[in-house]
Amino acid sequence: MINRDFLQITDLDAPDLAAILELAIRSIASLGRPLEGRGVALIFEKPSNRTRHSMEMAVVQLGGHPVYTRGEEVGFDVRESVEDISHVMSGYHAMLCARVFDHRVLERMSTSASIPVVNMLSDVAHPLQAVADVLTMKQHFGALAGKTVAYVGDFNNVARSLCQASAMLGMHIRIGCPSGYSASNVDLDQFRTLGAASVNQYDSLETAVKGAHAVHTDTWTSMGQESESKIREAAFIGFEVTEQTMSLAAPGAVFMHCLPAHRGQEVSEQVIDGKSSLIYQQAHNRMHAARAVLAFLLGVRP
Ligand code: CP
Ligand code: NVA
């Protein structure tokens, strides 16, 4: 294990990720109760449905007690400093988990907390989502090395973490984004270094999904970007995943989305509610992935 915090997928190495995927499919009882009698702080600066519920249940399943607080109640750097909050939380809880607007807040927490810090989504990364995403693909396809994952739309937090995890599992990565919303060369180089079988980026949805076994997309406007939504809707014209798009992917390709989704924008109703869609399995896997990550950070090994 490279880091006891989980701010990005890259806080793990490939064997760590493999161990977490193994823990995720184990029975709850086999993980023991590493949080028995202990608390976990869950602080949300942005709305959440899946992450809050899956994390609260994961904590309960590991024997612990989740304490949820809204970001505005805690008031990072408004009511008190991130450092003071982190020091204080370290005296109450076994872990400090946060969903933040600015990833640097998590980095400051990591420096000042004496307990593991977990990213529940930042502007940069959504690593808990990525563990559920690769778990879902693995359940569907078996070994993922040599399989092709496509991500199309806005190259955002979800995309970055998904590509990092997919790279660590040896997948081919194909990215399709309109110009101005694509992955940087730093990101693309990182995916190569992490072990991707290949990494290619296109400005065409159709080219990006060619031959893909799994096609992922996400909202065009992430939380915190609401003022840009009109500009973004215009920029992403032509990036809706439709049945025609899926017909260009590999035979038997699956559609995936972290949710919340916008039918008729990034994906058509026919695709997201169709036979190739794994969205509910993917959402349910958030809880199994969360339980595995928390257990792993607490020292549980397969
Ligand atoms: N996918 C995801 O993180 O969903 P929530 O924003 O509802 O937690
Ligand atoms: N990219 C989205 C994911 C939501 C789960 C956002 O950050 O709002």
Side-chain angles (χ1 to χ4, degrees):
M1 162 120 213
I2 301 170
N3 195 320
R4 77 203 165 96
D5 295 321
F6 189 55
L7 304 195
Q8 295 236 36
I9 285 289
T10 49
D11 286 332
L12 309 171
D13 58 22
D16 292 340
L17 179 57
I20 286 171
L21 293 174
E22 175 61 32
L23 291 175
I25 57 167
R26 294 263 169 112
S27 71
I28 297 171
S30 73
L31 303 181
R33 292 173 68 82
L35 284 171
E36 187 72 58
R38 304 166 81 192
V40 173
L42 305 174
I43 306 175
F44 285 85
E45 280 195 303
K46 302 176 184 178
S48 172
N49 179 17
R50 277 146 293 274
T51 306
R52 176 176 178 186
H53 284 267
S54 61
M55 286 290 279
E56 289 211 20
M57 289 315 301
V59 170
V60 169
Q61 289 165 355
L62 296 173
H65 179 84
V67 179
Y68 166 85
T69 352
R70 292 171 62 92
E72 55 265 41
E73 289 174 65
V74 178
F76 297 133
D77 293 330
V78 175
R79 193 160 181 270
E80 56 187 323
S81 73
V82 168
E83 285 72 19
D84 281 352
I85 292 165
S86 308
H87 280 290
V88 172
M89 291 294 116
S90 300
Y92 302 151
H93 294 297
M95 310 182 97
L96 171 56
C97 312
R99 169 169 284 198
V100 299
F101 284 101
D102 184 343
H103 190 79
R104 287 169 299 187
V105 168
L106 291 169
E107 291 171 344
R108 287 168 58 202
M109 281 180 175
S110 157
T111 306
S112 38
S114 58
I115 53 176
V117 175
V118 175
N119 180 0
M120 299 196 295
L121 182 148
S122 70
D123 53 336
V124 170
H126 196 3
L128 288 167
Q129 180 69 52
V131 175
D133 295 347
V134 293
L135 173 63
T136 309
M137 289 194 286
K138 195 162 181 274
Q139 286 171 337
H140 193 85
F141 294 111
L144 294 178
K147 291 273 188 292
T148 301
V149 61
Y151 178 91
V152 294
D154 182 24
F155 189 83
N156 60 14
N157 45 7
V158 166
R160 178 173 296 103
S161 295
L162 169 67
C163 290
Q164 289 172 341
S166 302
M168 281 165 65
L169 294 167
M171 299 185 80
H172 294 278
I173 296 175
R174 297 174 71 83
I175 301 168
C177 308
S179 96
Y181 297 94
S182 53
S184 69
N185 287 333
V186 173
D187 281 313
L188 300 176
D189 286 344
Q190 183 193 47
F191 307 149
R192 293 186 183 103
T193 309
L194 287 172
S198 65
V199 180
N200 288 287
Q201 177 161 250
Y202 309 93
D203 59 9
S204 146
L205 168 79
E206 287 76 16
T207 314
V209 301
K210 223 171 247 175
H213 298 99
V215 176
H216 293 243
T217 191
D218 185 16
T219 182
W220 294 336
T221 302
S222 284
M223 291 179 277
Q225 299 172 334
E226 290 77 6
S227 64
E228 298 171 24
S229 69
K230 283 280 160 271
I231 298 168
R232 285 173 168 268
E233 265 173 45
F236 286 99
I237 287 171
F239 276 79
E240 181 185 5
V241 178
T242 62
E243 286 179 306
Q244 204 269 329
T245 319
M246 291 303 291
S247 74
L248 302 170
V254 295
F255 172 78
M256 298 180 64
H257 191 308
C258 64
L259 305 179
H262 309 83
R263 288 164 172 79
Q265 289 195 18
E266 72 269 14
V267 59
S268 71
E269 200 175 302
Q270 291 82 350
V271 169
I272 195 167
D273 299 322
K275 280 203 303 289
S276 68
S277 175
L278 298 186
I279 55 165
Y280 299 127
Q281 181 184 344
Q282 184 183 1
H284 294 158
N285 275 334
R286 288 294 309 275
M287 181 172 74
H288 308 305
R291 185 174 63 244
V293 168
L294 298 186
F296 185 84
L297 296 175
L298 292 162
V300 178
R301 294 293 178 270

